């Protein structure tokens, strides 16, 4: 405590450089705010179904979603059904799921459909992974429309490492199977897609003039790599990244989105006071 008996204020999570980048991008003509979910809007938890966005983060994201000339989106490794269940996104928020293999741009969006060869291959992949999980306590499988995820978060470190190595050994040379390794997960898919492709697709679909993207995992690097001059990329955590800016933990994403909401609201009001008040 300070000599006056007050608790000192915690240090700000956003660097001055990031705050300036937020003020700059807030003035773009059409802003796309695209966020990873797990580890970014929501803390990482032991069971994927228990994840929820932090309240301040969700509130700021919802505030951005209703601003004029502003589009919000979630870009996640989760299947769309799982993403909707845990994230409860604002009604107009666009969704990219399964690392880019699934997309929802509103009512009438086409669902992902596998051909017969892909369905057969996916069945084979699941059988291979199920045999590994049966021998690896604490591991589990999650089914997605185009793939299967090997989860190792609840397994011991040695067990997790052995399970991932075994899965990679069996599947790495399997034609038509694509692997992505994240934090305590190994993603398998019979559709070749990435979060980077998701960012590019959303930019084109919305006509965005600038993109802010935040993510925490290895798979988010594909998205950071697709950002263009004038965009803002924010890495959550201390791992290596291509992003220009960094925050330490998901709790700081609330501060980021609140700062963006304030700056964007001001920018919109200056451009079109009637639209901002409506």
């Amino acid at each position: 405590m300070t000599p006056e008996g007050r608790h000192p204020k915690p240090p700000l999570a956003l660097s001055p450089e990031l705050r300036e980048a937020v003020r700059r991008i807030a003035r773009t003509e059409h802003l796309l705010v695209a966020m990873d979910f797990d580890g970014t809007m929501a803390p990482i938890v032991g069971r994927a179904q228990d994840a929820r966005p932090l309240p301040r983060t969700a509130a700021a994201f919802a505030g951005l979603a209703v601003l004029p000339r502003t589009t919000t989106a979630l870009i996640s490794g989760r299947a769309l059904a799982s993403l909707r269940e845990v994230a409860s996104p604002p009604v107009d928020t666009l969704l990219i799921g399964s690392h880019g293999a699934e997309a929802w741009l509103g009512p009438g969006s086409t669902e992902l459909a596998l051909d017969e060869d892909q369905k057969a291959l996916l069945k084979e992949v699941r059988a291979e992974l199920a045999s590994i999980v049966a021998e690896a306590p604490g591991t589990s499988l999650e089914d997605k429309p185009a793939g299967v995820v090997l989860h190792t978060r609840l397994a011991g470190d040695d067990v997790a490492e052995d399970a991932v190595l075994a899965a990679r050994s069996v599947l790495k040379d399997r034609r038509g199977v694509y692997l992505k390794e994240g934090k305590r997960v190994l993603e398998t898919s019979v559709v070749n897609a990435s979060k980077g492709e998701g960012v590019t697709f959303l930019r084109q679909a919305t006509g965005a003039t600038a993109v802010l993207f935040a993510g925490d995992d290895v798979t988010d690097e594909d998205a950071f790599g697709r950002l263009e001059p004038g965009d803002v990329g924010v890495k959550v955590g201390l791992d290596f990244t291509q992003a220009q800016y960094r925050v330490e933990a998901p709790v700081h994403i609330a501060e980021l989105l609140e700062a963006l909401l304030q700056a964007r609201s001001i920018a919109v009001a200056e451009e079109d006071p009637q639209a901002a008040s409506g």
Side-chain angles (χ1 to χ4, degrees):
M1 297 179 68
T2 63
E4 293 80 11
R6 296 171 296 176
H7 289 281
K9 291 183 178 180
L12 295 177
L14 308 188
S15 68
E17 294 80 10
L18 177 52
R19 288 185 175 277
E20 179 56 34
V22 166
R23 287 190 287 268
R24 170 182 54 76
I25 202 171
R27 308 194 74 83
T28 196
E29 175 61 25
H30 190 123
L31 176 62
L32 171 61
V33 183
M35 307 293 291
D36 171 50
F37 182 73
D38 295 281
T40 301
M41 293 189 68
I44 295 292
V45 293
R47 301 195 318 155
Q49 62 267 37
D50 293 336
R52 293 295 184 274
L54 294 174
R56 283 176 53 200
T57 303
F61 192 66
L64 286 161
V66 298
L67 289 180
R69 298 182 288 107
T70 306
T71 301
T72 53
L74 295 177
I75 303 180
S76 175
R78 287 179 181 264
L80 288 186
S82 172
L83 184 59
R84 289 191 181 97
E85 180 180 355
V86 299
S88 300
V91 63
D92 292 328
T93 292
L94 309 183
L95 304 176
I96 298 290
S98 299
H99 295 284
E102 297 182 276
W104 185 84
L105 300 183
S109 292
T110 303
E111 293 186 1
L112 174 67
L114 303 181
D115 61 31
E116 292 306 314
D117 289 341
Q118 289 173 317
K119 290 177 182 178
L121 182 57
L122 182 56
K123 186 176 181 179
E124 293 174 11
V125 169
R126 195 188 194 289
E128 296 279 14
L129 292 177
S131 66
I132 293 172
V133 166
E135 302 295 328
T139 65
S140 62
L141 297 183
E142 175 191 359
D143 292 304
K144 294 184 178 181
V148 184
V149 185
L150 172 61
H151 288 273
T152 65
R153 190 169 301 280
L154 299 181
D157 290 345
D158 290 346
V159 173
E161 183 178 357
D162 288 347
V164 170
L165 287 174
R168 280 193 167 278
S169 177
V170 170
L171 299 174
K172 65 180 181 179
D173 296 323
R174 187 75 60 91
R175 184 178 178 84
V177 177
Y178 306 95
L179 305 179
K180 295 180 185 293
E181 192 164 351
K183 294 179 178 179
R184 303 293 291 218
V185 297
L186 179 67
E187 303 263 359
T188 72
S189 179
V190 296
V191 174
N192 191 13
S194 73
K195 291 184 179 181
E197 292 171 347
V199 165
T200 298
F201 174 69
L202 288 176
R203 187 196 304 273
Q204 295 170 347
T206 61
T209 51
V211 178
L212 183 145
F213 175 77
D216 75 305
D217 210 341
V218 176
T219 55
D220 295 310
E221 293 302 315
D222 290 331
F224 291 134
R226 292 293 187 96
L227 297 182
E228 299 177 357
D231 294 341
V232 173
V234 181
K235 172 75 171 186
V236 183
L238 304 178
D239 298 334
F240 171 81
T241 184
Q242 301 178 71
Q244 314 105 300
Y245 306 100
R246 185 189 300 273
V247 296
E248 189 172 341
V251 66
H252 302 135
I253 290 297
E255 187 178 340
L256 172 70
L257 292 182
E258 287 169 349
L260 181 60
L261 175 60
Q262 180 181 34
R264 184 65 174 168
S265 298
I266 292 171
V268 166
E270 290 175 349
E271 290 288 332
D272 189 349
Q274 186 172 359
S277 63

